[in-house]
Amino acid sequence: METPPIVSAQEWEAARQQLLGEEKRLTRARDALAAKRRRMPWLAVEKAYAFDGPEGRVSLLDLFAGRRQLILYRAFFEPIVYGWPEHACRGCSMVADHVGDLAHLNARDTTLVFASRAPQPEIEQVKARMGWTMPWYTITDDFDADFDVDEWHGTNAFIRDGDRVFRTYFINARGDEALGSTWSYLDMTALGRQEVWEDSPEGYPQTPPYEWWNWHDAYGDPEPAPEWLAQTRRGPRGRPA
């Protein structure tokens, strides 16, 4: 293997600073792309879709679980998939392994669910085997074909206005590789991270960064601890570096 040159600490830091500038430009470009997503037109979902869940048959609206936004990942887990019924698709399983604690998304009024063609008993078994805890539903109709995930995995974002549901964005193929963290999921939604530094349309919900962040088991607390509020007020209040 041909390796890079071995250099002094000063030369190494100079090389790192050069790449850091490129990384910051990439971060700004990613922020700008997310801002464009927040200005995407919405597509009304007029058709009724049904899913099977642990508690029985539910609608697309039910998948929101009362929240304003829904992110739905179509995972391939069904009899035609290699590894059935012990395993879902290898790639989809890697996506599932990268999903963070959903309490953080929920705190931004956003629900994440997975959906497959597999029946619920098999879904519950594979979740237990693999240690996955995200809500996972069974597709029962043409949802996968209508939302571009009948032949390949993909992630659809939706928003609701009362009982009306709208499709706001779609990511698939290698785009799914970047998903899994709270930030990457929120960046694909219509409302974004909902932080004041973001370039969002007028009237979008926004709060200061850091002030809404919490331990995943503490979002139900009536109010943040005083020391946490003091810490966030001492820290950065605007756009992250």
Side-chain angles (χ1 to χ4, degrees):
M1 182 177 72
E2 184 176 352
T3 64
I6 309 302
V7 298
S8 68
Q10 292 79 8
E11 291 172 311
W12 185 90
E13 182 59 25
R16 189 190 78 88
Q17 287 296 326
Q18 183 176 356
L19 281 180
L20 182 60
E22 295 185 28
E23 288 174 354
K24 286 183 177 294
R25 287 192 289 275
L26 178 60
T27 298
R28 297 291 177 260
R30 193 163 53 239
D31 291 342
L33 178 61
K36 290 181 178 179
R37 291 191 189 112
R38 293 191 288 277
R39 290 167 171 83
M40 273 279 294
W42 295 0
L43 176 66
V45 180
E46 306 289 2
K47 190 173 176 179
Y49 295 97
F51 303 82
D52 284 337
E55 307 301 324
R57 187 63 56 93
V58 294
S59 67
L60 179 62
L61 182 64
D62 292 327
L63 300 190
F64 284 76
R67 301 184 182 95
R68 191 171 182 184
Q69 297 191 124
L70 170 70
I71 300 170
L72 192 155
Y73 176 72
R74 194 275 205 251
F76 274 90
F77 181 47
E78 55 191 88
I80 64 171
V81 172
Y82 179 78
W84 171 269
E86 286 79 19
H87 284 292
C89 149
R90 286 189 176 104
C92 297
S93 296
M94 288 185 69
V95 170
D97 283 339
H98 284 81
V99 173
D101 196 292
L102 299 183
H104 304 296
L105 281 175
N106 297 164
R108 294 279 90 177
D109 212 9
T110 302
T111 296
L112 172 71
V113 305
F114 278 38
S116 299
R117 284 281 175 183
Q120 280 297 297
E122 283 72 20
I123 288 176
E124 290 304 316
Q125 288 174 14
V126 80
K127 285 177 62 179
R129 281 192 65 255
M130 302 299 285
W132 298 328
T133 59
M134 72 284 287
W136 198 319
Y137 294 87
T138 301
I139 300 169
T140 67
D141 48 32
D142 296 330
F143 176 88
D144 49 2
D146 292 348
F147 289 92
D148 307 305
V149 288
D150 55 330
E151 297 180 357
W152 197 242
H153 59 83
T155 308
N156 277 280
F158 301 91
I159 196 167
R160 70 180 182 92
D161 183 6
D163 290 344
R164 297 198 68 195
V165 175
F166 303 88
R167 187 189 195 190
T168 60
Y169 204 65
F170 175 61
I171 289 177
N172 68 348
R174 289 197 63 193
D176 279 330
E177 294 176 2
L179 299 176
S181 74
T182 299
W183 316 121
S184 60
Y185 279 127
L186 289 176
D187 282 346
M188 75 167 290
T189 66
L191 300 180
R193 303 185 187 191
Q194 303 165 50
E195 294 183 344
V196 294
W197 62 269
E198 287 182 304
D199 175 13
S200 293
E202 186 70 26
Y204 272 43
Q206 291 187 321
T207 60
Y210 306 102
E211 287 194 5
W212 72 270
W213 301 5
N214 210 340
W215 300 293
H216 70 253
D217 62 349
Y219 280 111
D221 291 351
E223 59 183 33
E227 62 271 17
W228 171 239
L229 283 178
Q231 180 180 342
T232 59
R233 286 166 184 161
R234 286 195 301 269
R237 298 296 298 275
R239 186 188 183 108

